[in-house]
Each structure stands twice: as structure tokens, then as C-alpha cells.
Amino acid sequence: MLSIAAFPIAAVTLAVIGCAALQDVRERLIANRYSLLIMAFAPLHHATMAESLSEWLVIGGSALGVATALFVAGFILWRLGGLGGGDVKLLCAAVFFVGADGAAGLLVATVIAGGVLALVYVIVPRTLPAAWALLAGPDGASAPGPGSSIPYGVAIALGLAAAIVPTLPPVIG
């Protein structure tokens, strides 16, 4: 019966991370509220995967352990300038949501999406400058361009979607 609850929890979580990705594209900033909301939904998601309280505690504990280890690595990357602080927090929240079993898939999908996104940021401004200028909006200040940061929240959102969607139970059987 709890598997039915997986759909609305996943849908709301994907909507939240979609909002975070959109804010990252627009402002190169990810508000803490998005990471906190995803972390708040994680125990509910873990409950849909568990058959008992003890199993729920194991799933949640292992998810917390993996997310904490990732936070330590992400903190180092942030200090070295490799990732933004919002990206680290959002990625840790996403890993906490999918748990230890889904962390590897989420990270692989995020890296692949990030690589594609980086290629877009390198190729499109050079080949389609007029289309790229349209992204700037009326003021032109938010236009991405060569040397601008990549909104990695988009890659994290795609990675989370790739990790969540295949695990949902089928609706029509």
C-alpha cells in the first residue's frame, strides 16, 4: 500500500528540484529551501521502500551516511572552487532522498548530464550566438556566455529524475 504513496512523493520532489534547477539557470543560485524540502520528503520516500520500522531505519541511516560522506567530498570541492555551495547541498539532499542503493545511479546520471550541459555551454554560444542572446532576456545581464558558470542544478535534477523514475511501481499492470 505504501508504494502508491511513492508517486506523489516522487512527483513533488521532482517539482521541487525542477524549481531549484530553474533558479540555478536564472540566478546561478540554489536556495536552501529546495534542499531542505527534498530532505524532508526523503524519510517519507524511505518509508515507501521499507516493510518494517527496522528496515526504514536501516534505509534512512545508510542514506544519511552516504549523503554525509558526499557532503564532506562536496565541501572539499566547493572550497577548491569546483562546485557551488548550493550544488553540493542539492546533490547531498538528492542522494539522501534516493538512499544508498540509488546513490551510484544518481551520481552517474548527474555526471553524464553535467558533461552534456558543459558541452552545450561551450558549443552553442560559438555556433548559435543569436539564439544564445535570446536566453539573456530583456536586460541582457543574465546571458550565459563563455567563461560563465554552468548551472549544475540542472544536471542534478536530471540525475535525480533518472534515479527516481525507474524505481516507481508501474501504474498500469
Side-chain angles (χ1 to χ4, degrees):
M1 190 62 160
L2 283 177
S3 65
I4 293 171
F7 286 106
I9 293 167
V12 170
T13 301
L14 290 174
V16 168
I17 202 162
C19 291
L22 185 60
Q23 182 185 25
D24 198 16
V25 168
R26 290 182 177 167
E27 304 172 27
R28 296 302 188 274
L29 176 81
I30 300 173
N32 290 337
R33 66 179 167 266
Y34 298 120
S35 299
L36 291 172
L37 280 170
I38 292 168
M39 290 183 72
F41 285 117
L44 299 173
H45 178 67
H46 299 158
T48 66
M49 298 185 296
E51 295 183 17
S52 67
L53 177 62
S54 61
E55 188 177 359
W56 177 71
L57 292 171
V58 168
I59 291 169
S62 63
L64 185 60
V66 171
T68 301
L70 181 64
F71 182 78
V72 170
F75 180 81
I76 293 167
L77 282 172
W78 170 70
R79 293 296 293 169
L80 295 174
L83 277 177
D87 297 330
V88 172
K89 291 180 277 188
L90 189 66
L91 185 58
C92 290
V95 165
F96 181 57
F97 185 87
V98 299
D101 291 341
L106 178 137
L107 293 173
V108 167
T110 299
V111 167
I112 291 169
V116 170
L117 190 61
L119 284 174
V120 167
Y121 267 67
V122 168
I123 294 170
V124 173
R126 293 181 183 161
T127 58
L128 302 169
W132 200 250
L134 289 175
L135 293 174
D139 63 350
S142 62
S148 68
S149 65
I150 296 172
Y152 212 72
V154 174
I156 297 167
L158 292 172
L160 183 60
I164 291 176
V165 172
T167 65
L168 294 174
V171 178
I172 301 171

